[in-house]
Amino acid sequence: MNSVDAFFQNDKFLEETDDAYVRIRFDANFQSKDDEDFNLKASAQLPLSRSKKEFKFFIDDVSQDNTKDIATDDTEDQKSAPEIGMHYFAPETYGIESKYSVGIRGIYPFVRARYKMVFEAGEWLIEPVQSFKYSVKDDFEEETNVYFDTQLEELSLFRIQLHRKTKSRMDGMDYSLGFSYFWAISQGIGVNLSQTFWGNTEYKYVTDETTDPVTESDPYGGISNYSTALSWRQSVWRKWFFYEVRPGVNFHRQYDYEPNYTIRIYLDFYFGNYLKG
């Protein structure tokens, strides 16, 4: 089942893999209710040395726009700055896999810890994941994800994901419920159909950007976005060049739950052993 996350190179895979890799991603996002968005980002994870394989140097989210922000102390620029630091993949203890990270974003240091366990319940694999992060600039945040995975047929995976997150200086708690069906048509082609419900206990959005400070909506506790998407992902050359097309539609409270049609296109150059998962 790990091979599904590895092929789609989702956040779960990038958080868990201890393999060395370099990834360059071009991301184009088109929406009927908002402006188009284009991004080019690079990330890497490299071993510190052959004798210290559990230590990995990393750099995340380097883009053409934020390289100048690596040593910034400006609050807004610092939020977009890349992360640079070191991962430590600790030996499994009592069934708990853990990863510890220390690094900097801008000029501000941070520490992060991630823990996970895997349980079997009949045909299901249940994987709770808990992470904590403390940053000198952004204070404290913590996040919980619980994955329920089962194989409905050969070369397929059905996943239910529960998510919650809290953060200093962020009102309320984020939460979501997601359903995903992954199907590997062949070794180099995969399809993913997903349905996600997003919410926050005190959700707010900007209603007027011209005021100072900006005017926000009244707090709302409930589902604020319903999102459906279908992804087609294919490895097209030498197993390190991928493209992915993801049409979708979401119904966001910010747009009075009117349909927002989207299409997202990824071009990924991934140099690493993704087939290991």
Side-chain angles (χ1 to χ4, degrees), residues 8-244:
F8 280 89
Q9 294 169 18
N10 53 29
D11 291 340
K12 184 177 185 294
F13 167 70
L14 295 177
E15 285 288 337
E16 293 180 354
T17 183
D18 60 357
D19 285 337
Y21 69 84
V22 175
R23 186 180 76 161
I24 301 170
R25 162 168 282 191
F26 172 76
D27 175 7
N29 188 21
F30 303 91
Q31 305 182 68
S32 61
K33 292 287 188 181
D34 208 341
D35 296 333
E36 64 272 12
D37 186 30
F38 302 92
N39 289 291
L40 179 64
K41 291 187 175 182
S43 300
Q45 178 172 272
L46 303 170
L48 184 62
S49 69
R50 292 183 179 180
S51 61
K52 297 290 184 181
K53 294 182 179 180
E54 66 272 23
F55 290 92
K56 299 289 195 305
F57 169 80
F58 72 88
I59 181 166
D60 288 334
D61 296 333
V62 178
S63 73
Q64 71 273 28
D65 298 321
N66 68 11
T67 51
K68 64 181 183 300
D69 302 328
I70 291 178
T72 185
D73 60 356
D74 182 86
T75 299
E76 292 304 316
D77 287 344
Q78 185 268 336
K79 290 180 180 179
S80 67
E83 290 186 349
I84 303 172
M86 192 70 61
H87 293 315
Y88 170 63
F89 293 85
E92 182 176 322
T93 305
Y94 301 110
I96 300 175
E97 299 179 31
S98 55
K99 182 179 78 171
Y100 303 94
S101 307
V102 59
I104 58 171
R105 179 184 284 275
I107 64 171
Y108 299 101
F110 67 85
V111 292
R112 184 165 53 220
R114 185 181 190 273
Y115 305 94
K116 81 163 187 175
M117 295 186 70
V118 179
F119 303 92
E120 292 189 22
E123 299 296 322
W124 292 83
L125 285 182
I126 304 173
E127 183 179 323
V129 180
Q130 180 66 45
S131 63
F132 304 92
K133 180 181 178 181
Y134 178 78
S135 168
V136 171
K137 188 65 176 180
D138 295 326
D139 295 337
F140 178 78
E141 65 182 72
E142 58 84 25
E143 178 178 344
T144 305
N145 289 284
V146 184
Y147 303 92
F148 300 84
D149 292 350
T150 189
Q151 188 171 354
L152 300 181
E153 56 183 329
E154 189 177 2
L155 301 178
S156 73
L157 171 67
F158 177 67
R159 168 173 291 161
I160 303 172
Q161 180 181 352
L162 304 177
H163 165 82
R164 55 166 296 282
K165 180 179 180 179
T166 61
K167 185 177 181 179
S168 300
R169 309 181 194 181
M170 180 184 77
D171 294 334
M173 178 184 70
D174 285 339
Y175 57 86
S176 69
L177 169 64
F179 302 91
S180 298
Y181 180 72
F182 301 90
W183 178 37
I185 297 176
S186 67
Q187 184 175 0
I189 301 176
V191 176
N192 174 25
L193 176 63
S194 64
Q195 175 66 54
T196 309
F197 306 89
W198 305 88
N200 183 283
T201 55
E202 296 186 41
Y203 173 74
K204 292 184 290 186
Y205 60 92
V206 175
T207 59
D208 189 349
E209 295 181 347
T210 63
T211 60
D212 187 18
V214 296
T215 304
E216 295 184 324
S217 65
D218 294 330
Y220 170 75
I223 301 298
S224 57
N225 191 16
Y226 306 80
S227 176
T228 305
L230 176 66
S231 293
W232 175 281
R233 184 173 177 84
Q234 186 170 357
S235 170
V236 292
W237 192 39
R238 295 177 181 266
K239 298 184 179 180
W240 51 259
F241 175 47
F242 303 79
Y243 77 87
E244 183 173 341

